[in-house]
Amino acid sequence: MPEPDGLNLIGTPFRRVDGVAKVTGRTMFADDLTFPRMVHMKLVRSSVPHANIVSIDSTAAEAHPGVIHIVRGESMPDPFGILPVSQDEHAIAIDKVRFVGDPVLGVVALSEDAAEAATRLVKVEYEALDTIASVDEALDGTRDEIHDYGDEGNVHKKVSLRFGDVESGFEKADLVLEDTLFYEGNTHLPMEQHAAVAVPEGDGKVTLWSSTQTPHYVHRALTRVLKIPASHIRVIACPNGGGFGGKSDPFNHEIAVTRAALDLGRPVKICLTREEVFYCHRGRHPVTMRIKTGFAKDGAMISQHLQTALDGGSFGSYGVASTYYTGALQTVTYQLPNYHWDGMRAFTNKPPCGPKRGHGTPQPRFALEVQLDKAAHELGLDPADIRLNHLANADSITANWLRIGTIGLRQCIEKVVEGSGWRERYGKLPEGRGLGIACSSYLCGAGLPIYWNHMPHSGVQLKLDRSGGVAVFCGQTEIGQGSDSVLAACVAEVLGIDLQDIRLCVADTDLTPVDLGSYSSRVTLMMGNAAIQAAERAKSLISKAVSKRLEVPVGRLVFAEQRVFDATDPEKGMAFAEAVQAAESEFGTLGTTGSYTAPRSPGRYRGAGVGPSPAYSYSAAVVEVEVDPVTGITRVPKIWVAHDVGRCINPVLVMGQVEGGVYMGLGEAIMEESAFRRLPKKLSNALVHKFPSILEYKSPTFNDMCDVETYIVEDPDPNGPFGAKEVGQGPLLPIMPAVCNAIFDAVGVRIDQIPVQPHMIVQALEEKRRGGAGRYGPKRFPVVPWDEPLQVPTPMEGGDGKAVNAEQVGVHGGTMKETPKGTKS
Amino acid sequence: MTPEIITATYKVNGEERTIAHPGHHTLLEVLREPLSLTGTKHGCELGECGACTVLIDGEPQLACLALAREFEGCDIETVEALETGEGLHPLQATFADLGAAQCGYCTPGILMVSKALLEENPKPGRAEIKEALSGNLCRCTGYIKIVEAVEWAAGMARGDDDAGPADAVFYGQRDGGTDHA
Ligand code: FES
Ligand code: FES
């Protein structure tokens, strides 16, 4: 079927360009690589959660047969970290460990077995420090500090932003609800364990192959820690065996293995065990939330005050951004004229939390969507209508200064309402069965890069030659989401050629122009636009040459079916290869570039840098549940999900992202949790990961997965390539709240906590039988000493995007130019 | 202590190969390292994820739990054997076409289990497919496209031309219906 707007390939389901490699075992993941003379590295990891390192005795390890080198923290004294404001990690700990799993020594041996055996011979003496296990413990100012920077004690970051007149909004409201909710942490669990291979080139240069989603940021971290010019380091991201945000930080093992390779002058590989992958973590932050919203009778939100307390684990990672994301996107789905958000992130002695699919937004989204359900009940409104009647407007600016473009949320809600039979079935199913609805929105790429600069977010380069083949160079990283296919499709569409005629060269910091990486759902939109620009420029060169040869005006030339021809006389034309030859003869060697930089956001207050995006995707879901009131076991037979993707580049890949997102959301809703426990006093009192194994960390299997009915809403966004928006993260977000809302419809109790476990339902039902509220969830919110909020007048109030009290509260304009406080650098 | 090195002969994908390797190595290690058959993956090396599944005399086995030396003389089959001179195996074609391999890391293991299933049961129902694959984790797909790909491949292998997926498998429900073709 020809697509609207004369598109040929875009919008049709095609076999992904890396599909055959993946089904034949040809795809080379990082651990599949070997090099002549390659040796292996293993890391000794801390067995205690918080301690000073007194001594490390590696004598026995060094004497172990096959061991050839030891890598010590002192050889890499400079700290690193993904955000400029939190350069707080070391490749190998120097004087202190901060969680069970922190690396303390690297051992390199001729075989992986020998390296592994030798790590067990290393003796480390520790001097124990207080262990901080929770936000409350971090706030209690009496304990040892995990870091020597941050807002105070073990508080990493505190922030407070207020838009509009929130208090008088509450006074005007007909209904004010206040809820406290908890969202437990969980982890990405990519099937591939992280691996990296460093290969020195003998002339001071080195190449690192790694399973990373962000080769560009790994490149920067290597340069910083190893003190080698960036131009001498080459980072190549192998296709990732799943990422979901878990491979977006530069990791200690990537730096340590590169150090080892340079020390030895030979290739060194490291492949983490599954247990170590749990220690790398960077997963979902556990967040406690207090949400107070004032509603009008018709369900309109007048004011909202949201407070979020994040348990960040042991390092900064993306944490400052994660914290901001727990506040930023509350405003983009429904109208919310007055909004106050306080956020804080604590350091604790657990593996560091970071960005997992949805990055910081699933938690507050859960709070908002559950509270909307409660409000609908209080006000006697249908939960679908309370949403439909108060949607944010397309082409508007929110109270916190985010610019919304297209919004297909109405269609999304209508689709899932119709598909699920909501109007006929909601509130009417037999006891134990229920339906719940929720919506969400997500970014199509962060509006700002991670470090301050004015360069493109994504670059694409094309090389064309007389063969008719087109080589496409781009720094983007394929993590399974299909970015290689999007890149090839954008070029193929513009030039009217076959996917087969395209050769991709990607994710190589030496050979490809920078693309910032596969995070924040940015690749389709940003890389896609850069690819289109590069291809359009090539098309224009070819057109000029062909126009001359055929004596047809440029404007009449069509590029399709591997030919360039006259629109009015399709017979008059030439093969694409011939057309390239004409252009090569005319202009010499052919190459073009394209780049993309996100538009500037209207927000001018400090903190306005997190949340802006060139476009927002929208999703809605209806979840059906079956709850056994005796056991509390919840089963989800079916989910209806609709996603506004702007336009499908390849619908079958869009379907895959939607289904994969729903799956991951279902796991988060009913089973996945990164839980920790303290060992008994006599066993050191250490804080340990309850489940550092796939067996114990429960995630949905084939048999746990529900049926999914997917609706794709296409409302092309002018900022997206061919109108496309993101699909990788958005569809996960409505699932968790929709599950809890469905449980209420099924058995009449509120579970204000994720994941929902059977005992929670049993307990809430029990409470209800005794005449109580019938709720399970946190009872209190930590006592956080937030400062006076930054007051930002909203667009409706005639604001200019700036705060009015920046001087008084001691913060100054600018959005990302924060300077690290007390950071060792 | 240096590990004992053994010499063993393995029949992998129809080819006999004699190699020397540490006697305690698993089949996973032997396939991936001395035999260079890196198509077989690992996600845990503890028997928990299914990524390392290969076929031993036609039966799925977790290579990470199999001591290699015990499988001398057996017919070992890995993902590398699926594609023949005639082209892709139907399972490979349908997995590629439906995006049932996203990152592709779980895929080799899942393909091998599916192949064993189809050889035993040419027309499995959805529940049977899910049951057969319940020991294989996939974090990307939500399993749906995998089940659809196995069904489609089964149909192809039977020569049943009508077994292809409905449009909704490719496009979802568009405009409330599937009549967009
Ligand atoms: S590697 Fe996970 S089961 Fe074998
Ligand atoms: S396709 Fe990525 S784990 Fe299955």
Side-chain angles (χ1 to χ4, degrees):
Chain A
M1 176 193 69
E3 282 291 307
D5 305 347
L7 297 173
N8 292 308
L9 177 65
I10 300 296
T12 61
F14 57 86
R15 179 180 281 184
R16 52 187 299 156
V17 297
D18 51 359
V20 170
K22 282 176 177 177
V23 298
T24 52
R26 282 194 187 92
T27 301
M28 295 301 268
F29 297 94
D31 191 39
D32 297 337
L33 302 172
T34 40
F35 293 87
R37 296 184 70 234
M38 187 175 86
V39 291
H40 300 264
M41 177 163 176
K42 282 279 170 193
L43 295 171
V44 179
R45 290 179 186 264
S46 168
S47 56
V48 295
H50 195 195
N52 290 320
I53 299 172
V54 178
S55 66
I56 300 175
D57 178 2
S58 57
T59 337
E62 285 166 62
H64 188 76
V67 171
I68 57 168
H69 187 51
I70 299 287
V71 184
R72 296 178 199 280
E74 287 78 14
S75 64
M76 295 168 284
D78 290 275
F80 69 95
I82 181 72
L83 299 188
V85 292
S86 26
Q87 302 284 306
D88 60 1
E89 300 185 50
H90 282 90
I92 292 178
I94 297 173
D95 43 14
K96 188 173 160 162
V97 291
R98 295 177 170 88
F99 72 105
V100 170
D102 222 355
V104 292
L105 198 75
V107 178
V108 185
L110 298 178
S111 71
E112 198 179 10
D113 285 350
E116 211 273 315
T119 58
R120 282 186 262 117
L121 304 174
V122 174
K123 291 194 193 72
V124 187
E125 194 188 325
Y126 297 104
E127 175 194 46
L129 296 168
D130 297 336
T131 303
I132 289 85
S134 64
V135 170
D136 278 318
E137 289 180 14
L139 283 163
D140 153 8
T142 66
R143 298 171 204 242
D144 292 326
E145 290 184 12
I146 299 175
H147 288 283
D148 57 5
Y149 81 105
D151 274 353
E152 64 215 21
N154 284 307
V155 175
H156 175 201
K157 181 77 185 169
K158 273 191 314 184
V159 51
S160 202
L161 300 170
R162 192 166 58 203
F163 308 92
D165 188 351
V166 177
E167 279 313 311
S168 55
F170 286 132
E171 281 160 29
K172 278 185 234 148
D174 297 307
L175 170 73
V176 177
L177 291 183
E178 222 179 316
D179 288 290
T180 308
L181 303 97
F182 178 62
Y183 199 117
E184 182 56 284
N186 53 53
T187 202
H188 320 80
L189 203 78
M191 281 296 100
E192 178 203 26
Q193 302 151 226
H194 307 48
V197 196
V199 183
E201 287 160 44
D203 53 359
K205 290 187 175 182
V206 63
T207 301
L208 179 76
W209 273 263
S210 185
S211 32
T212 176
Q213 301 177 230
T214 53
H216 176 63
Y217 296 128
V218 173
H219 189 206
R220 285 171 59 85
L222 288 174
T223 304
R224 178 185 167 99
V225 178
L226 301 177
K227 299 194 184 344
I228 302 175
S231 56
H232 299 181
I233 300 177
R234 176 180 182 190
V235 178
I236 300 175
C238 296
N240 287 202
F244 317 110
K247 294 169 181 165
S248 312
D249 285 61
F251 281 104
N252 45 43
H253 66 266
E254 294 174 314
I255 300 172
V257 80
T258 311
R259 173 78 273 154
L262 288 165
D263 291 349
L264 290 165
R266 65 196 288 184
V268 185
K269 178 195 273 190
I270 186 164
C271 180
L272 304 189
T273 63
R274 178 53 63 179
E275 183 180 345
E276 290 178 291
V277 173
F278 277 91
Y279 297 146
C280 283
H281 193 46
R282 320 290 157 150
R284 185 84 72 225
H285 285 74
V287 183
T288 308
M289 293 158 283
R290 183 158 62 199
I291 181 169
K292 177 180 174 186
T293 309
F295 294 89
K297 272 199 203 66
D298 66 353
M301 292 192 282
I302 301 171
S303 264
Q304 183 170 99
H305 183 189
L306 171 72
Q307 296 181 309
T308 56
L310 292 77
D311 178 345
S314 47
F315 289 101
S317 181
Y318 283 78
V320 171
S322 317
T323 307
Y324 276 106
Y325 276 126
T326 64
L329 299 193
Q330 291 297 84
T331 53
V332 296
T333 38
Y334 317 108
Q335 297 191 28
L336 178 57
N338 304 292
Y339 177 51
H340 178 181
W341 165 66
D342 302 309
M344 72 84 70
R345 182 177 193 261
F347 285 127
T348 57
N349 295 114
K350 304 179 201 171
C353 295
K356 183 185 171 196
R357 208 171 193 175
H359 194 192
T361 74
Q363 301 97 326
R365 175 58 55 186
F366 171 65
L368 170 60
E369 297 289 329
V370 166
Q371 193 171 59
L372 268 177
D373 202 68
K374 294 180 182 181
H377 280 271
E378 293 283 335
L379 296 166
L381 301 169
D382 183 290
D385 293 333
I386 199 173
R387 293 172 165 86
L388 278 170
N389 292 341
H390 305 289
L391 296 174
N393 291 323
D395 301 315
S396 66
I397 296 179
T398 66
N400 60 340
W401 293 89
L402 302 179
R403 188 186 287 117
I404 299 176
T406 54
I407 159 166
L409 186 52
R410 176 174 305 284
Q411 297 95 300
C412 287
I413 299 176
E414 284 167 355
K415 295 278 181 213
V416 294
V417 160
E418 193 191 312
S420 65
W422 176 269
R423 303 280 180 205
E424 304 78 48
R425 298 169 71 223
Y426 177 69
K428 301 182 191 104
L429 291 172
E431 182 68 14
R433 284 178 60 196
L435 294 177
I437 191 167
C439 305
S440 67
S441 172
Y442 201 68
L443 315 166
C444 303
L448 288 178
I450 279 173
Y451 62 99
W452 188 258
N453 74 81
H454 292 287
M455 292 174 278
H457 295 204
S458 188
V460 171
Q461 218 166 347
L462 299 191
K463 183 223 94 183
L464 304 88
D465 69 27
R466 55 201 82 174
S467 69
V470 177
V472 181
F473 301 83
C474 176
Q476 68 82 18
T477 305
E478 173 64 60
I479 60 171
Q481 86 282 43
S483 55
D484 280 3
S485 301
V486 171
L487 179 59
C490 288
V491 174
E493 179 69 47
V494 172
L495 296 179
I497 56 177
D498 237 42
L499 290 169
Q500 284 274 32
D501 299 325
I502 291 174
R503 166 74 63 186
L504 298 182
C505 174
V506 299
D508 180 328
T509 61
D510 257 12
L511 300 186
T512 63
V514 170
D515 172 277
L516 294 176
S518 288
Y519 65 94
S520 86
S521 272
R522 51 176 297 290
V523 180
T524 290
L525 189 138
M526 300 196 181
M527 171 199 77
N529 280 320
I532 291 172
Q533 188 180 60
E536 287 289 357
R537 287 173 175 170
K539 184 175 173 179
S540 137
L541 288 176
I542 298 168
S543 295
K544 278 187 201 139
V546 173
S547 155
K548 217 165 163 187
R549 287 265 170 105
L550 296 182
E551 294 171 348
V552 172
V554 164
R556 263 194 7 226
L557 291 175
V558 175
F559 286 62
E561 292 162 1
Q562 293 166 287
R563 287 181 72 236
V564 181
F565 55 88
D566 182 350
T568 59
D569 176 11
E571 295 295 298
K572 193 169 176 189
M574 59 178 83
F576 180 77
E578 244 179 283
V580 175
Q581 287 156 17
E584 201 178 336
S585 317
E586 179 87 16
F587 303 108
T589 302
L590 294 176
T592 59
T593 61
S595 38
Y596 181 80
T597 309
R600 198 160 175 232
S601 153
R604 293 284 169 272
Y605 57 92
R606 179 163 175 172
V610 179
S613 177
Y616 297 89
S617 75
Y618 289 88
S619 321
V622 168
V623 170
E624 181 160 351
V625 296
E626 290 168 6
V627 183
D628 180 334
V630 177
T631 60
I633 292 173
T634 301
R635 228 183 57 82
V636 175
K638 185 153 183 174
I639 293 178
W640 293 261
V641 62
H643 183 73
D644 161 25
V645 70
R647 183 197 299 281
C648 294
I649 301 286
N650 179 349
V652 71
L653 295 192
V654 171
M655 293 288 291
Q657 287 302 307
V658 173
E659 290 165 358
V662 168
Y663 148 88
M664 202 165 265
L666 182 66
E668 295 197 18
I670 61 176
M671 57 179 88
E672 294 186 32
E673 57 173 339
S674 295
F676 294 80
R677 64 195 168 103
R678 277 191 207 274
L679 294 178
K681 264 249 154 58
K682 61 176 194 301
L683 285 177
S684 83
N685 205 18
L687 184 66
V688 296
H689 207 300
K690 252 182 172 171
F691 311 136
S693 85
I694 290 186
L695 191 62
E696 295 300 329
Y697 180 89
K698 303 293 181 213
S699 66
T701 67
F702 270 88
N703 283 328
D704 300 310
M705 186 55 192
C706 61
D707 286 342
V708 178
E709 191 83 41
T710 302
Y711 304 85
I712 297 171
V713 170
E714 297 188 75
D715 175 8
D717 190 288
N719 282 345
F722 305 107
K725 304 200 279 191
E726 77 90 38
V727 61
Q729 309 195 57
L732 171 146
L733 303 166
I735 306 306
M736 295 71 68
V739 165
C740 287
N741 295 342
I743 289 171
F744 180 74
D745 186 40
V747 290
V749 295
R750 290 287 178 189
I751 310 300
D752 291 339
Q753 186 162 332
I754 283 295
V756 177
Q757 289 167 339
H759 74 270
M760 300 175 182
I761 294 180
V762 171
Q763 220 168 299
L765 281 168
E766 186 57 36
E767 188 192 82
K768 199 177 169 198
R769 267 193 290 277
R770 292 213 212 92
R775 166 186 182 269
Y776 187 99
K779 300 216 162 34
R780 54 175 289 281
F781 186 84
V783 183
V784 184
W786 271 292
D787 304 322
E788 177 62 19
L790 201 59
Q791 180 71 39
V792 184
T794 64
M796 250 199 310
E797 291 175 322
D800 59 359
K802 292 197 186 104
V804 289
N805 60 345
E807 294 304 321
Q808 291 95 299
V809 300
V811 295
H812 308 283
T815 48
M816 285 282 285
K817 291 180 207 163
E818 312 193 18
T819 34
K821 202 171 92 188
T823 312
K824 290 184 229 161
S825 55
Chain B
M1 191 193 70
T2 16
E4 171 213 9
I5 302 291
I6 63 160
T7 305
T9 302
Y10 297 103
K11 190 167 162 217
V12 187
N13 301 333
E15 296 168 2
E16 295 228 331
R17 301 276 302 274
T18 302
I19 49 167
H21 65 83
H24 67 279
H25 272 192
T26 62
L27 184 56
L28 174 70
E29 289 167 297
V30 167
L31 288 171
R32 288 180 51 82
E33 291 158 23
L35 292 173
S36 301
L37 292 166
T38 51
T40 302
K41 304 300 175 200
H42 56 83
C44 66
E45 295 152 279
L46 293 167
E48 299 168 351
C49 71
C52 63
T53 312
V54 298
L55 301 186
I56 306 275
D57 296 330
E59 289 294 320
Q61 272 270 354
L62 298 176
C64 72
L65 296 185
L67 193 62
R69 62 200 303 177
E70 289 180 2
F71 297 90
E72 272 192 280
C74 297
D75 259 315
I76 303 166
E77 216 180 316
T78 68
V79 68
E80 284 89 350
L82 288 181
E83 186 189 17
T84 62
E86 329 247 282
L88 296 177
H89 186 281
L91 282 162
Q92 291 176 307
T94 60
F95 270 61
D97 284 337
L98 290 185
Q102 282 186 21
C103 78
Y105 201 80
C106 68
T107 310
I110 287 180
L111 286 172
M112 298 320 281
V113 176
S114 305
K115 175 171 191 262
L117 171 70
L118 295 192
E119 268 157 27
E120 203 181 284
N121 180 354
K123 202 175 176 181
R126 291 210 159 181
E128 288 166 308
I129 297 172
K130 290 183 190 177
E131 194 50 45
L133 288 167
S134 60
N136 292 71
L137 291 178
C138 169
R139 280 300 264 180
C140 298
T141 60
Y143 304 116
I144 295 172
K145 290 279 169 280
I146 296 177
V147 174
E148 289 163 345
V150 174
E151 273 186 326
W152 186 10
M156 251 188 213
R158 295 192 307 268
D160 176 354
D161 292 338
D162 301 329
D167 278 355
V169 168
F170 295 101
Y171 293 98
Q173 302 290 348
R174 263 182 166 184
D175 305 315
T178 53
D179 54 343
H180 52 271

